Amino acid sequence: MQEHAAQAYGLIGDAALVVRDGRIEWIGARAALPGALERECGETHDCGGALVTPGLVDCHTHLVHGGNRAHEFESRLRGASYEQIARSGGGIASTVRSTRDASEEQLLAQALPRLRALENEGVTTIEIKSGYGLSHEHEAKCLRVARTLGVLEDVAVRTTFLGAHALPPEFAGRADDYVDEVLRMLPLLHAEGLVDAVDAFCERIAFTASQVERVFDAARALGLPVKLHAEQLSDSGGATLAARFQALSCDHLEWLDETGARAMARAGSVAVLLPGAFYFLRETRVPPVALLREQRVPIAVSTDCNPGSSPCTSLLLMLNMACTLFRLMPEEALAGVTRNAARALGFTDRGTLAAGLRADFVLWDVREPAELAYAFGANPRRLTVFGGRPR
Ligand code: NIG
Ligand code: FE
């Protein structure tokens, strides 16, 4: 076991980890810890045989939104499809109504318990998208709430502008005009310090590849990285387009083909797999994991926490589902919520445990790393350390 774990996870048995000023100063086998460094340590803690992993990174969420869509869940149980509901004015549009109706305080109050549930499972970095406001006023409101969450909680928040998520009702039948509006909003929101990256939904019920291209051109002009909801319900050529813009990630990807995977590999884009949405929408086509492995596209895993396709606040459950539903190996799933998830957000200072990186890590009461993916509905977290401080 030890040998497999050392190889698959880079696991170090009987390790020591030294933290200084919120960073990892040293990590390795305890026996190799330099005596001089050990004597310098002000405080020492015995982790009692706990497994230590990097803090988890949830790299794709729509955490800030108003209301829920339980009624739509019921409609789907009666036979309606996600696409049918979207086309008849429900779906994302229904969350847009409740998000616009909610005040900043209300949105914050609704998002906090979701964030805390994720933190409770060891999440130390989270990405939060806008995309349910769809006007400057309401997108700004949602992004401000996301930023505030990062101030209130011991968690790092990355914000992504997803203005091109759906067509708001006032632009019905005028998708190109709405893309103009997205291009007007983006520099304003960026100037307000609210945008770390730009995303879009490329799909037959959302935006075409050429509309997305206009949004990406605008992001590039501002020096902002892009990512894309691509190939979720159909192959719309989104991944190939996103790769042309060196996208940080392409997400969902059930319909990704070889051309798209090759383009992603060349661009270094991460494939973010979202088993919660696959499960909740009862999709049957799994993302092409073998192709991603063959092309050496890094794979991340995320909750996609959102009210329509993945009302889920458990990243540990996603580890399990990525294995059971998509056949990832536990070591791939774990890399998917640490190393590759950090990369999907453009971070190079976290996601693994190495000297010089942020001291974000989690102590787990498990004997071997695979247990984190194996059990579902369990939470063996003992303690989270965020920026060197126990949370
Ligand atoms: O990631 N695919 C598009 N957006 C979300 C779902 C949004 C919704 O249904 O509210 C997703 O699955
Ligand atoms: Fe999403």
Side-chain angles (χ1 to χ4, degrees):
M1 196 311 274
Q2 283 296 348
E3 212 168 290
H4 165 75
Q7 251 196 359
Y9 301 91
L11 189 75
I12 308 168
D14 198 16
L17 190 159
V18 180
V19 173
R20 193 198 302 262
D21 298 332
R23 303 254 151 194
I24 298 172
E25 171 99 1
W26 190 93
I27 182 165
R30 188 150 60 110
L33 176 65
L37 189 56
E38 192 171 359
R39 282 188 295 278
E40 268 181 62
C41 289
E43 273 177 61
T44 58
H45 302 272
D46 181 353
C47 296
L51 172 75
V52 179
T53 68
L56 305 190
V57 177
D58 197 355
C59 67
H60 177 142
T61 86
H62 309 251
L63 196 85
V64 175
H65 57 260
N68 69 62
R69 304 231 290 274
H71 55 282
E72 201 176 278
F73 177 57
E74 292 173 320
S75 306
R76 286 200 292 112
L77 287 169
R78 283 192 208 97
S81 78
Y82 183 73
E83 286 195 56
Q84 279 164 352
I85 292 169
R87 288 185 198 287
S88 61
I92 297 176
S94 119
T95 301
V96 171
R97 286 191 288 277
S98 356
T99 303
R100 286 180 171 182
D101 284 346
S103 68
E104 211 160 311
E105 292 69 31
Q106 287 168 331
L107 288 175
L108 188 66
Q110 291 177 38
L112 252 182
R114 295 193 275 263
L115 179 58
R116 289 190 175 141
L118 290 165
E119 287 178 77
N120 189 41
E121 289 191 346
V123 170
T124 52
T125 294
I126 185 172
E127 184 249 19
I128 302 177
K129 302 175 194 297
S130 66
Y132 291 119
L134 309 185
S135 71
H136 175 256
E137 176 193 352
H138 296 291
E139 289 287 290
K141 174 177 73 177
C142 294
L143 291 167
R144 277 196 304 271
V145 170
R147 284 272 193 255
T148 304
L149 288 167
V151 174
L152 293 179
E153 296 292 296
D154 273 343
V155 66
V157 172
R158 272 309 228 203
T159 57
T160 300
F161 173 55
L162 176 56
H165 191 198
L167 210 53
E170 61 276 20
F171 282 90
R174 296 187 296 128
D176 287 312
D177 291 348
Y178 178 62
V179 174
D180 289 342
E181 182 58 21
V182 169
L183 301 191
R184 206 183 61 78
M185 281 185 242
L186 174 57
L188 297 176
L189 296 167
H190 179 52
E192 290 161 72
L194 293 172
V195 182
D196 296 321
V198 174
D199 193 351
F201 186 15
C202 187
E203 191 54 68
R204 52 192 180 209
I205 54 166
F207 297 92
T208 64
S210 56
Q211 288 163 340
V212 170
E213 185 170 6
R214 293 181 59 210
V215 177
F216 283 0
D217 276 328
R220 179 180 272 174
L222 293 168
L224 288 167
V226 301
K227 32 209 315 120
L228 189 65
H229 283 72
E231 290 32 308
Q232 178 187 9
L233 308 169
S234 63
D235 184 356
S236 310
T240 304
L241 168 73
R244 275 210 282 119
F245 287 81
Q246 268 70 50
L248 287 173
S249 70
C250 297
D251 306 38
H252 287 288
L253 298 176
E254 279 79 351
W255 290 81
L256 180 72
D257 68 2
E258 188 164 341
T259 311
R262 282 183 187 279
M264 286 178 66
R266 274 195 303 274
S269 306
V270 176
V272 178
L273 306 187
L274 304 166
F278 173 90
Y279 160 80
F280 196 64
L281 299 184
R282 301 183 75 226
E283 299 292 346
T284 50
R285 186 179 168 115
V286 298
V289 169
L291 178 63
L292 293 170
R293 286 185 186 129
E294 181 190 298
Q295 295 297 323
R296 299 183 174 279
V297 175
I299 298 173
V301 173
S302 169
T303 58
D304 193 13
C305 175
N306 79 72
S309 68
S310 190
C312 166
T313 51
S314 173
L315 192 54
L316 290 176
L317 178 59
M318 296 304 102
L319 279 184
N320 176 270
M321 283 192 184
C323 297
T324 51
L325 300 175
F326 296 165
R327 315 309 288 161
L328 291 195
M329 291 303 292
E331 60 265 31
E332 293 175 305
L334 200 56
V337 296
T338 53
R339 189 174 63 230
N340 294 338
R343 181 168 165 175
L345 298 181
F347 282 121
T348 53
D349 66 346
R350 68 197 71 189
T352 62
L353 298 176
L357 302 195
R358 275 184 63 89
D360 292 347
F361 53 86
V362 185
L363 274 59
W364 307 95
D365 284 319
V366 298
R367 290 186 60 81
E368 45 183 301
E371 287 177 54
L372 294 177
Y374 150 80
F376 57 104
N379 182 3
R381 186 187 68 102
R382 190 196 296 174
L383 177 80
T384 301
V385 174
F386 178 71
R389 287 195 326 272
R391 188 160 71 180

